[in-house]
Structure formats: C-alpha cells, structure tokens
C-alpha cells in the first residue's frame, strides 16, 4: 500500500464533499436544529434555510423552486418519477427505457415487469448511441412514461434528451431523465430540455450522500412514493434532511461557479486517455462520440481482467472502477458494455476513470506511470524497468 495521498479517479461513483459544503451544513447540525415545519421562529428560520437551498438547486437546472422535491437520493428520484407516472395513469401499463440505465432505473423496471407492467428496453449501438427513431416507434397508446438517462455513468455517452423530450411531448407521453451524471458538467436547463421529470443526486456533486432531488414540471400529474406529512408540498412525506439539503444547495451554487473549470478537467481526461492508448497496446476507448461527459473515460484492455487491474491500482493508491456490479468472487461484465456489443473478454477488461475539479496533472501522471506496468504484468509480459 502506497503511503502517498490517494489518487481518486472514481468521481462518477461518488465525489469528495467540498469544504464549503461542510461549512454551510455545520450550523444545521449544531445550533439550528429546529423542525422546518414548526410554527415558532426557531423552526421557521430553519424553514427559510430550506427555501434558500431549494432556490439554489432550482437555479442549477433553471426550474421554479416549487418544482423541486427533495429526496433521499438519486435512486428515490428515479423510483418516484416512474411510480408517479404509473399511479396517475392507471390505464397505461407500458414503460419505455434503455438497456444502459443505472440500476436505480433498470432494476425497478424489471421488478415492475414481473408485476405485470410491460417494458420496452431500447438497445444501443456499438458507440453506445440510441436509435431515436426506434424510440419514437416504441411509444404506444398505453405508454405511461419514457425514462432515458441524460448521460451514462459508465461510459459518459450523452443521449439527445431535448430531441427525445420533444418526441414524448408530441406523443403526449410523460418523460423522465436521470440527469445525475450531468450536474456540474453541463449547463442544465429543464425549460430547454423539456423534461417532465428530472432527477439529481447530491453526492455526485461534492455534497454528502443521502440527499437528492426530483424536478416535477408544474402541472404534471403527481403521486408520492413516500406518503406521510405535508412536507415538500405534500409530495414527499418525512421531515426534511435540512443539513444535507443545505449542503446540496451550496454544492449547486459551487457547481455553477465551477462550470468554467470543466475545460481543464476535460483536457486532463484527454491527456490521460491519449497517454494510456499510446502506451498500452490492444487498448481501446468505449463510447467516444461527442458530446460525452468531459470527465469520464472508459477503456478496454484485451487479455486482461478489470478485477486484477483495479486490485493493483488500489495497491498503488489509485481508485478506479469497472463500472459493473461486483458480487463476491465473480465479476459479471457490465450491462452497459454488453449492450454495446463488446465481447465478454473486452467487457471484463474495461475500467472507468472519472475525474473531478479536485484532480490535477499529478494524478494523470500517476495513472500514466502505473497503469501500463500493471497491464503488462497482468498480461504476463516481461516488464522492463
Ligand atoms: C449514482 C447514480 C444514481 C444513483 O444515485 P444515488 O444517490 O446513489 O441513489 C442514479 N443514476 C446515475 C446515472 C448515477 O450515476
């Protein structure tokens, strides 16, 4: 184990909490612990902090604050949108989504299918792209909702959400997008996108885990997933997680301020990608068509298991991932890469490296130094050093 500071290149899994976010949260974990729904001023001042955070998160996506529902995570946002569309339109029992969604969506849809709902899982091509025409054709009279992620968490492939939203609107079908990976990486504008529902997660945005939000467009029929008190305009029961929501608000503000830093992150990513491809034979990038997430790189190494690469990277103090669900002992190839038609060998030899504003040239240099040696070692090649 290296005694150097860790080199964190797994920012699509979670991100470091920004010190400014911790600072904003602290008063709400110490002195300001009132219930935001209480009638006395000790509670009301906490309610005002909640309102301010809602305004900041709304500003991040150009929504009206009343369209923001705070949730416990991105997963809850996705579940709420799909659940709501099915409950408010009981006659419609068909769902359209893609084969490359996050498990927060795909596992839910699979479960709904078992309960008798009908599911269309749209395929992607070898570049990870959707056939929008096929999406158009898959919409039926009984389609309750179309749910398509904005950007893929494993490959960084970006889908044409504006175009898809327009198709859904023209066909009178509700549209949800899981935009968890785009916040802080692109300018987000729900008015321009035209989505009915959009979910975000705070921990992908330098705020803590355990808080997220669902945008529900004004006037869209809505049914709660969690029923209880009148919080969140009676759309999500449960006393609000005020300190975390305040942190989310601060993170939203910081994300907008640091959009100008994205080109720097992208050039770090590009230097890392090009360096790895140049120094490691039989390596290729997965999902490279622009536009794509500026911080994400997914690379396949033939004759090499991601499991081994990640283990040796870990020993060198570098955090990366394979983007696939790790079950004890066996590493199944990623459903995203499999949907793109990668062979089992290449899918099992793919790793994801994802950067954030906290990464520097030194991190890229470290990966460029360590990874070629690791791959050679695992391939059983003689290592000359
Ligand atoms: C991380 C992630 C989620 C889940 O968010 P949680 O807050 O961890 O539930 C959903 N969708 C995508 C694309 C993600 O990357």
């Amino acid at each position: 184990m290296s005694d150097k500071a860790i080199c964190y290149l797994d920012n699509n899994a979670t991100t470091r909490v920004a010190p400014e976010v911790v600072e904003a949260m602290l008063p709400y974990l110490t002195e300001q612990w009132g219930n935001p729904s209480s009638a006395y001023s000790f509670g009301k001042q906490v309610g005002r902090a909640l309102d301010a955070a809602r305004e900041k998160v709304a500003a991040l996506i150009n929504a009206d604050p009343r369209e923001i529902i705070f949730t416990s995570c991105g997963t809850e946002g996705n579940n709420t949108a799909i659940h709501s569309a099915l409950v408010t339109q009981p006659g419609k029992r068909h769902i359209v989504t893609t084969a490359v969604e996050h498990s927060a969506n795909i596992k839910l849809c699979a479960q709904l299918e078992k309960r008798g709902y009908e599911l269309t899982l749209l395929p992607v091509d070898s570049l990870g792209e959707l056939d929008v025409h096929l999406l158009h054709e898959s919409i039926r009279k009984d389609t309750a909702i179309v749910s398509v992620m904005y950007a893929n968490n494993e490959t960084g492939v970006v889908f044409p959400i504006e175009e898809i939203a327009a198709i859904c609107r023209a066909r009178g079908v509700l549209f949800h997008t899981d935009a968890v990976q785009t916040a802080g990486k692109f300018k987000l504008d729900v008015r321009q996108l035209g989505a009915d529902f959009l979910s975000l997660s705070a921990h992908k945005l330098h705020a803590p885990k355990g808080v997220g939000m669902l945008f529900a467009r004004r006037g869209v029929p809505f049914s709660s997933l969690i029923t209880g008190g009148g919080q969140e305009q009676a759309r999500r029961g449960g006393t609000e997680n005020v300190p975390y929501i305040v942190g989310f608000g601060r993170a939203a503000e910081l994300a907008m301020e640091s959009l100008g830093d994205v080109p720097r992150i992208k050039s770090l990513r590009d230097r890392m990608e090009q360096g790895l491809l140049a120094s490691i034979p039989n390596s290729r990038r997965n999902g490279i068509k622009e536009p794509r997430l500026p911080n994400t790189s997914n690379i396949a190494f033939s004759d090499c298991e991601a499991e081994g690469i990640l283990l040796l990277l870990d020993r060198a103090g570098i955090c990366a991932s394979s983007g696939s669900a790790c079950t004890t002992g066996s590493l199944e190839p990623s459903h995203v890469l499999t949907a793109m038609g990668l062979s089992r060998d290449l899918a099992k030899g793919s790793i994801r490296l994802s950067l954030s504003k906290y990464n520097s040239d030194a991190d890229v240099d470290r990966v460029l130094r360590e990874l070629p040696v690791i791959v050679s070692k695992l391939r059983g090649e003689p290592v000359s050093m």
Side-chain angles (χ1 to χ4, degrees), residues 290-307:
E290 294 293 340
R292 61 173 172 139
L293 288 182
N295 75 319
T296 307
S297 188
N298 193 305
I299 307 185
F301 305 100
S302 56
D303 307 311
C304 203
E305 296 244 328
E307 210 176 352

Side-chain angles (χ1 to χ4, degrees), residues 12 73-75 102 149 153 178 180-181 201 203-204:
N12 287 9
C73 58
T75 300
H102 188 274
M149 71 198 320
N153 48 303
D178 171 348
V180 169
Q181 286 296 341
S201 172
H203 76 98
K204 307 287 173 80

Side-chain angles (χ1 to χ4, degrees), residues 174-185:
L174 292 177
F175 176 63
H176 164 254
T177 186
D178 171 348
V180 169
Q181 286 296 341
T182 45
K185 298 166 190 166

